[in-house]
Amino acid sequence: MTGYGAVRPGFDAVREAFAEVAAQTSGGVAFSVFRRGEPVVELCAGAASPGVPWTPETRVVLFSGTKGIVATLLAILTARGVLGPRERVARYWPEFAAAGKGEVPVSQVLSHTVGLPYVEADLPMADNAANAIALAEQRPLWTPGTRVAYHALTYGYLATELIRRVTGQRVGELLHELLAAPYGLNLRLGTPASVPVATLLRAPGYRISTFLQDEERRRIVERMYRGLLDSTDTMNSPEYRGAELAAGSGVGTATSMARLYDLLLSGSLVPSAVLAQATRTWSGGIDAVNDRPLRFGLGYELADPIGTYGPAAADPAAFGHSGAGGGRHGAWPTRGVSFSFATNELQAEDVDTRATTLLAALHECV
């Protein structure tokens, strides 16, 4: 399998683990690591598209890895004093107060406890404005703050509208202005069809919500995801990549994602107190819809009992965000390490060991 490899001394175990991971993937893979501002691992292998090798510049759809980018934008807005996690959503977005949501704080939207895991109305997935209007009118499935359940797509509609209300800007525009342009990050939300992006493919037997056994709640999951991950047609379409879906249509390179989390750790993006607030536990437990153990900060996933962010000893303060099919992006703050695993081959969570293998090897090295 063709590839590119560069690791600093002391990270040979990661190179060896990456070779195993690449052999388990029919498409392409990339793994990048920074430690205290310095790149220490830059590995990629396989094909970005048929006949096109994966390089360090290969962009891929990040799916829910996008949520970590958006959480960072929200943290920046919090640091600037234009958004407060404890403030009522209705302060910024008065229409949201409908259907008993007048006292819901921003933190419940960002920590997936607001009780709006799907849009009841039949609306185009890419229409942020229409979906936000529908969610503002909608009654939560439970009393906000009493249960946690992953808001796969609606997190994006809610966050996008909050951003628009407090800045007057589109979320993709803000990403370019605050992160991509000033720091040279190859990250986009709303990607033109002319920009090359890796072709996504589903591994045989790919499926979502592998922790879920209850068939009644599986119907809720189907409403949540709207068939996005059921085939490669929608996810590979220029329309999907071009949409500014803050929950999952972001595009970027593994290097830029690892660098993003490195910038967070260094204090370049937000003060340490703001980052600490965003990455402490705001919700946790067993997902009320998906039965998966989880913990959330303000938009970031946190270290959980199933080792999403590496071995338990790696860093209890780990944070980041994973993406459908295997993507894993985040940081170990106490070790000054940030990382990103990106792939264009979607594998089911209960069989996909790629990111876990790489993070275990990285832990050995640091």
Side-chain angles (χ1 to χ4, degrees), residues 21 29-31 61-65 206-207 308 321-329 340-349 352-356 358-359:
V21 166
V29 285
F31 189 53
V61 173
L62 299 165
F63 290 116
S64 287
Y206 176 73
R207 62 211 184 284
T308 300
H321 216 292
S322 55
R328 200 83 53 87
H329 323 277
S340 172
F341 172 70
T343 180
N344 62 343
E345 183 186 48
L346 283 68
Q347 296 186 9
E349 184 175 23
D352 187 3
T353 61
R354 295 172 297 176
T356 301
L358 289 167
L359 292 179

Side-chain angles (χ1 to χ4, degrees), residues 243-261:
E244 295 187 20
L245 293 174
S249 72
V251 164
T253 66
T255 302
S256 288
M257 287 299 288
R259 177 64 173 149
L260 171 69
Y261 285 98

Side-chain angles (χ1 to χ4, degrees), residues 106-107 116 171 179 207 211 219 222 314 323 353:
V106 170
S107 62
L116 298 169
V171 62
L179 298 175
R207 62 211 184 284
F211 284 78
R219 288 194 287 273
E222 291 168 358
T353 61

Side-chain angles (χ1 to χ4, degrees), residues 295-325:
R295 287 174 62 226
F296 284 108
L298 296 175
Y300 295 110
E301 287 179 333
L302 307 180
D304 57 35
I306 58 175
T308 300
Y309 290 92
D315 194 340
F319 70 95
H321 216 292
S322 55

